[in-house]
Amino acid sequence: MHVSQTNGTSDRTARIPAPRSPSRDAAEAALVEHYPALVRLAHLILPPALGRHRRVLAAHALVQRSLARRGGPHAGGRGVGVGVGVGVGVGGEDSAHDWLRERIVRGALRPPLTVALGVALPRALGLRVFPRAGGTDELALDRALAAADPATRAALALTALEGLAPASVVALLHAVGVADPERAVSSADRLGVSCGPGTAGLLRGPEFDPCTVHLRPTDLLGRRRRVRFAALAGVLVLLGGSAVVALDGSPASTPRPVVSATPAGVVPVRVPAERWADTSRVDFTAWPARGDRADDQGLLRRAVAAWTTGSARTAEPEPRTAGSERRTPGSEPPSLLYAGDVDGARVVLLHTGRSLVRYTEPGAGHARPTLVETRADDSDVTTAAAVVLTRAGGRTRYLLAPWIAEAGVRDLRDPRTAARPLRVSADGATDPVSDAAPQTAGSGGCAGLTALQLRSSTRIVEDHAFLLVDLGGLSPVHLTWTPLPVPGDPARSPREAAGPLGLAAWSHAACSLPLLRDSGVRAVNRWEFAAQTLPERAGRALWICSRADTWEGRGRVDVTLELPGGIVPVTTVRDTAACGRFGQDVLAGTFWSAPHGTRYLLAAGSRRIVGVSADGAVRAGARGRVLAVRAGTSAPFRLSGRLPDGSSLPGWTTRTVEGGG
């Protein structure tokens, strides 16, 4: 993004002189008029690590205290300006608004200590406040904002919410002390592009409005226990405080450790029970400790010792992945997700920040304990929604995330049948679920494939149902789909497959999923990148690119041609960015024999392809995204696609497809 630094122009992108401090009356009037917008601005810039509740209160505190901080407006007349304003006015309400905006941005980028620590926040005793939960687009944007640095969030807020030109944003950020404002503006521009053309509209929606919030009570049971404990402690102090010192032989205030350290010196940490409902990171870091053995210190010590020393072997085909090295006693301790009795075994789940660890002690007379560790460092609300507790006899029992409100199971091959409810215990453990049925030899299909259909709590996201399928890892695989492009519309993003169209799409490709078993897959997206009318009125074909992303970051794509008579593999490409966010241009081709025996070369490309040409055994070309030409041979050929800028894209080619499918 180029930012003009030329003076002497009337455009808002020019550098604008700093407004003087407005009168107190003008500042107060501007504060009242623009209060909702200023609070939204502060809320977007403040660090998500504050949590949703404290972040809302901090945004209001910053705006409410903006007139009281040092260098505030004068009771009368004008004073010396304290920064660079970027508004169109040089006095009155516009100048006051610009002055307030700069102070809010400065405070949100570096919150005062009293705000950061919660001392100066408005009080909401017994209540938690948070903006309305949005849909999947809002959730994705929220995650992207949480990953951005504060200066980038500020630049995006000033452009998308306040409507400032790039140079004006640069000037304001420079005035409030941002070291590299041009970089912040460029990063904000890239963030807006990556999140789609509707970013500004989403930021103006109720999901990012800290002035329209939901109220929920804090932990009622925990509050009652704390009140009872405080009352009992007060009584004990009054009646026998001095006796405590005499009987114990040490001052009553001497700290006593409640949980002893493990042999390796590592004690699992525990996340508060309601963290998941008040955090910008809805993933494994928000899971609380659950299970009927969460307080079994002996079991926890053995689990952590096995993790730190490698004393338990891995029994399942879920090998330790690259980069999930052993931790040492001096490293950050893992968090406890679960410890309990499951199907006759004692199971402990730990999250190390980078990986998931499952420690299992079989029942008496069985094999030695086992430990499985897999990568889980890029999880989210879907890929951290379930973990495999046990897997035996063709049945799997899961532990669901605390934000899952509804759970069901369905046969992925049968999209018309509704999901069957899945019973879940108070600790989040499900009833056993039948695994995917094996492929029938010679049938070209499979008997069925069981998928979990889950729905997130409205406390974090509205109307969000999604599909997971067990492919052999600790975490089931998230399924999404991308429908055919619409001419003239922007590129479509992957969407959840739990709706009627997504279920119908995946019903065609369900039998291909077992081929990915035990390969460390995190998510699979089915992308319908082109449709093609077949020659000789043989019907319509769909070109599909299914991308499987692994926890380690590598991707595998499988291109298939869906014909009226069935699905035919075209090619498989490993370790590629194609068919994903960073590889949106695709071209593939294959030979196809029509029902009457005529052989054709078929090829199709994604939405940006404007021409297709073939060379080698078959020489042909066509404008547009598809090619269908008679071929007298099935010898190798080469494909090339033309992009709008004149560059070329090599295509993928494969073997002959016979018999119309």
Side-chain angles (χ1 to χ4, degrees):
M1 176 182 297
H2 175 71
V3 180
S4 173
Q5 299 294 331
T6 304
N7 293 325
T9 173
S10 61
D11 194 285
R12 289 191 72 194
T13 61
R15 182 171 297 184
I16 297 175
R20 294 181 176 181
S21 297
S23 68
R24 180 169 294 278
D25 289 343
E28 290 176 348
L31 180 65
V32 172
E33 179 182 356
H34 301 287
Y35 184 85
L38 292 172
V39 175
R40 190 187 292 256
L41 175 66
H43 179 261
L44 187 60
I45 301 172
L46 282 166
L50 290 173
R52 294 197 294 172
H53 171 79
R54 180 173 289 187
R55 192 180 180 192
V56 167
L57 297 183
H60 284 273
L62 284 174
V63 177
Q64 292 172 13
R65 292 165 55 85
S66 60
L67 299 184
R69 299 208 304 273
R70 185 177 64 182
H74 295 273
R78 297 182 183 273
V80 179
V82 295
V84 178
V86 291
V88 293
V90 295
E93 293 184 2
D94 284 338
S95 177
H97 184 200
D98 297 338
W99 183 85
L100 283 171
R101 181 196 293 128
E102 180 185 319
R103 293 175 71 83
I104 297 304
V105 173
R106 186 190 305 272
L109 287 172
R110 289 179 295 276
L113 186 61
T114 53
V115 172
L117 296 178
V119 177
L121 299 185
R123 299 302 180 193
L125 297 178
L127 293 173
R128 309 292 291 181
V129 300
F130 48 89
R132 166 187 166 185
T136 54
D137 292 339
E138 290 81 2
L139 184 63
L141 176 58
D142 190 51
R143 285 178 56 85
L145 291 171
D149 61 85
T152 298
R153 292 197 300 270
L156 181 63
L158 291 169
T159 53
L161 296 180
E162 298 292 304
L164 301 186
S168 300
V169 176
V170 169
L172 192 154
L173 294 180
H174 177 75
V176 300
V178 173
D180 192 349
E182 289 84 1
R183 177 178 176 274
V185 171
S186 298
S187 298
D189 185 51
R190 291 193 298 270
L191 178 62
V193 171
S194 66
C195 292
T199 299
L202 294 178
L203 292 177
R204 295 191 184 98
E207 297 80 4
F208 295 92
D209 182 7
C211 292
T212 305
V213 297
H214 288 266
L215 301 178
R216 287 189 183 273
T218 54
D219 185 2
L220 296 176
L221 295 179
R223 284 163 54 190
R224 292 185 63 190
R225 288 193 295 267
R226 288 192 293 270
V227 170
R228 290 175 181 174
F229 177 78
L232 178 60
V235 172
L236 291 176
V237 169
L238 290 175
L239 297 181
S242 59
V244 171
V245 177
L247 293 174
D248 189 69
S250 62
S253 60
T254 301
R256 297 299 181 91
V258 177
V259 180
S260 60
T262 67
V266 180
V267 179
V269 298
R270 299 170 187 246
V271 172
E274 291 293 307
R275 169 75 62 81
W276 64 271
D278 189 22
T279 179
S280 61
R281 288 192 60 181
V282 186
D283 55 21
F284 285 119
T285 62
W287 276 46
R290 292 176 288 174
D292 55 7
R293 288 187 175 269
D295 295 322
D296 187 337
Q297 302 305 323
L299 176 63
L300 298 184
R301 281 194 294 269
R302 294 192 296 274
V304 174
W307 169 61
T308 56
T309 65
S311 59
R313 65 184 177 87
T314 301
E316 297 186 40
E318 298 168 299
R320 181 178 305 279
T321 57
S324 57
E325 66 280 352
R326 292 288 181 192
R327 297 295 183 96
T328 61
S331 301
E332 181 181 352
S335 60
L336 176 63
L337 307 186
Y338 180 86
D341 293 311
V342 185
D343 298 333
R346 292 179 292 274
V347 179
V348 177
L349 289 176
L350 302 172
H351 180 243
T352 71
R354 181 165 185 167
S355 61
L356 270 178
V357 178
R358 187 184 67 201
Y359 172 78
T360 305
E361 291 183 349
H366 293 76
R368 58 182 292 191
T370 61
L371 184 134
V372 177
E373 182 173 8
T374 58
R375 287 279 293 271
D377 50 340
D378 192 24
S379 60
D380 56 25
V381 67
T382 55
T383 53
V387 176
V388 173
L389 283 176
T390 61
R391 183 186 288 115
R395 296 165 72 82
T396 301
R397 193 187 296 270
Y398 301 92
L399 181 69
L400 301 185
W403 57 81
I404 297 302
E406 298 178 16
V409 293
R410 67 179 315 126
D411 182 353
L412 206 56
R413 293 289 310 277
D414 187 5
R416 297 183 180 180
T417 302
R420 305 182 305 277
L422 177 61
R423 190 169 63 179
V424 182
S425 71
D427 281 339
T430 70
D431 279 358
V433 176
S434 297
D435 293 343
Q439 284 190 325
T440 304
S443 67
C446 57
L449 186 68
T450 302
L452 293 177
Q453 181 167 314
L454 307 178
R455 183 176 296 276
S456 301
S457 168
T458 56
R459 296 177 66 179
I460 60 169
V461 60
E462 289 190 352
D463 194 24
H464 180 224
F466 54 96
L467 296 180
L468 302 177
V469 64
D470 179 20
L471 294 181
L474 278 185
S475 299
V477 176
H478 179 212
L479 300 183
T480 57
W481 77 298
T482 306
L484 283 169
V486 176
D489 285 1
R492 293 186 168 187
S493 300
R495 56 194 63 189
E496 299 299 351
L501 295 179
L503 291 171
W506 267 111
S507 68
H508 300 302
C511 290
S512 65
L513 289 172
L515 300 176
L516 302 173
R517 182 172 292 277
D518 300 325
S519 57
V521 174
R522 176 174 58 88
V524 182
N525 180 59
R526 169 192 159 95
W527 177 27
E528 300 173 353
F529 68 87
Q532 183 173 23
T533 300
L534 295 173
E536 302 184 14
R537 298 182 179 180
R540 182 173 179 261
L542 278 180
W543 289 87
I544 310 297
C545 187
S546 296
R547 177 176 178 84
D549 286 303
T550 67
W551 287 102
E552 294 183 350
R554 295 195 298 267
R556 158 183 166 157
V557 300
D558 292 278
V559 179
T560 56
L561 182 62
E562 292 190 357
L563 299 161
I567 301 175
V568 179
V570 175
T571 190
T572 296
V573 182
R574 303 178 187 275
D575 296 336
T576 177
C579 301
R581 177 181 175 186
F582 302 107
Q584 300 183 16
D585 296 324
V586 177
L587 174 65
T590 188
F591 290 110
W592 168 76
S593 292
H596 297 296
T598 305
R599 179 181 288 115
Y600 290 86
L601 169 62
L602 302 180
S606 51
R607 59 188 297 274
R608 291 201 332 127
I609 300 297
V610 296
V612 180
S613 60
D615 194 8
V618 179
R619 301 178 63 89
R623 293 182 178 179
R625 299 167 50 215
V626 297
L627 172 68
V629 59
R630 290 192 179 190
T633 177
S634 59
F637 64 96
R638 296 181 298 275
L639 279 180
S640 178
R642 190 172 72 257
L643 296 172
D645 62 0
S647 60
S648 62
L649 175 75
W652 293 325
T653 62
T654 188
R655 58 187 176 82
T656 305
V657 178
E658 300 288 351

